[in-house]
Amino acid sequence: MAELRPSGAPAPTAPPAPGPTAPPAFASLFPPGLHAIYGECRRLYPDQPNPLQVTAIVKYWLGGPDPLDYVSMYRNVGSPSANIPEHWHYISFGLSDLYGDNRVHEFTGTDGPSGFGFELTFRLKRETGESAPPTWPAELMQGLARYVFQSENTFCSGDHVSWHSPLDNSESRIQHMLLTEDPQMQPVQTPFGVVTFLQIVGVCTEELHSAQQWNGQGILELLRTVPVAGGPWLITDMRRGETIFEIDPHLQERVDKGIETDGSNLSGVSAKCAWDDLSRPPEDDEDSRSICIGTQPRRLSGKDTEQIRETLRRGLEINSKPVLPPINPQRQNGLAHDRAPSRKDSLESDSSTAIIPHELIRTRQLESVHLKFNQESGALIPLCLRGRLLHGRHFTYKSITGDMAITFVSTGVEGAFATEEHPYAAHGPWLQILLTEEFVEKMLEDLEDLTSPEEFKLPKEYSWPEKKLKVSILPDMVFDSPLH
């Protein structure tokens, strides 16, 4: 639950946000991290010392459900001459370390990031006659913050968020988000580290798909060139009824050329997926997904998970040769919950402790493999092949259940345990599949209908007997069963 109040009014569990009108008695109680961020807000809005705030009634550190202590809402007059309309500017407080006393974030020093290292902002076009900012963006920001806190996956500029619902719960076409640097907010040095500001940008489904197939930064640049779709400051207009490709059809050509030239920056996704080793009977006790000690199932170890996370992080480094980090048995089990910038879909496991010691799980070469995906995940296979493998990169599907992963690699990726001689290899529940360029081209031809989901009927099966590979696209309910 949250309440709306002026930032200068006392809150149930915190003093007022610091500003020129704040009572002197509260001066020593202002959380230093909050004070530093609020100073940046005052720089931009000196005439709005006490903006309206949505504040969590029960703070997260007291057991409340909302990680953001506050979301401040400012009125920005824009600049009509620069195609920047008047809008509401929302700024979060809580993803960074506001307090420095370990109540929410571990204090790690002043030189690195504060907390998760960023706060969220959002710019919403002000409607004619609107005297107060809508509060729904604050709940949207709380939703993203809950994801960050629960997964410990941070956001970066250029990331996308598949939301699959109008951001304001209306009938709007704006149903997904991209993230970029806020055009006005400057990074802030706080006593607990540095805070940057990532702006949420609402986009249509077609624009999200283009960001996936190419990259988020490219689509953001196109949005900046279309005033009604965001303009220079990428202001979200929930009433926008056309995509940028409908507004200017030539922009699709720029996307197509970018995909052909650059490939895709999307290096992996969390997905409904599974795989079977067809080269051994399913009842075999050494099945790759059911290695057991007693009755406990083998799940992704901390080392596997950390390696997959690093795999995705390296997937962003498009100017260097893609490398899969080696499996090193000397490293300790468990995830390193660092605060280094990583993608929102970097891979976390629900079980970060290996049931079987990591170094005892041998890498196995498989003769024949059956891959299973739900429709949404399967629709990304052409992107994986065309946008990643044909550009010498890799792409990972991480099961949303946390107990298995599938990584496709090209012959140009170093450090993979799948090789041209043994293209299917598994390390515990992590499968790697190496595909040659020739086979990728063949698969793209055979999987062409995956790009037309409206004509798609489930289940659907594709098979390449000569390669001993089978791919099935199955209904979601299959992956919700205990078998997967």
Side-chain angles (χ1 to χ4, degrees), residues 97-148:
D97 190 352
L98 304 180
Y99 305 98
D101 56 8
N102 296 317
R103 73 177 74 178
V104 179
H105 300 281
E106 180 183 356
F107 176 62
T108 57
T110 60
D111 296 333
S114 169
F116 288 106
F118 68 96
E119 293 289 353
L120 293 169
T121 74
F122 183 62
R123 295 176 185 267
L124 177 67
K125 182 181 178 182
R126 177 178 174 267
E127 300 297 337
T128 303
E130 206 168 42
S131 59
T135 58
W136 63 260
E139 179 53 36
L140 182 74
M141 296 165 89
Q142 289 283 15
L144 293 179
R146 281 190 286 269
Y147 166 79
V148 172

Side-chain angles (χ1 to χ4, degrees), residues 281-338:
E283 65 272 11
D284 192 317
D285 288 338
E286 294 186 14
D287 180 83
S288 61
R289 292 182 296 114
S290 59
I291 298 174
C292 298
I293 291 182
T295 59
Q296 292 181 308
R298 155 71 176 168
R299 299 175 69 86
L300 281 176
S301 71
K303 287 177 185 167
D304 286 335
T305 304
E306 185 176 356
Q307 184 183 356
I308 297 170
R309 291 175 67 220
E310 184 64 18
T311 294
L312 295 192
R313 187 173 300 146
R314 289 174 181 266
L316 294 177
E317 301 169 3
I318 62 175
N319 294 322
S320 60
K321 191 169 185 179
V323 177
L324 289 174
I327 296 175
N328 184 351
Q330 300 304 314
R331 298 185 66 176
Q332 295 180 350
N333 278 332
L335 283 176
H337 294 304
D338 57 66

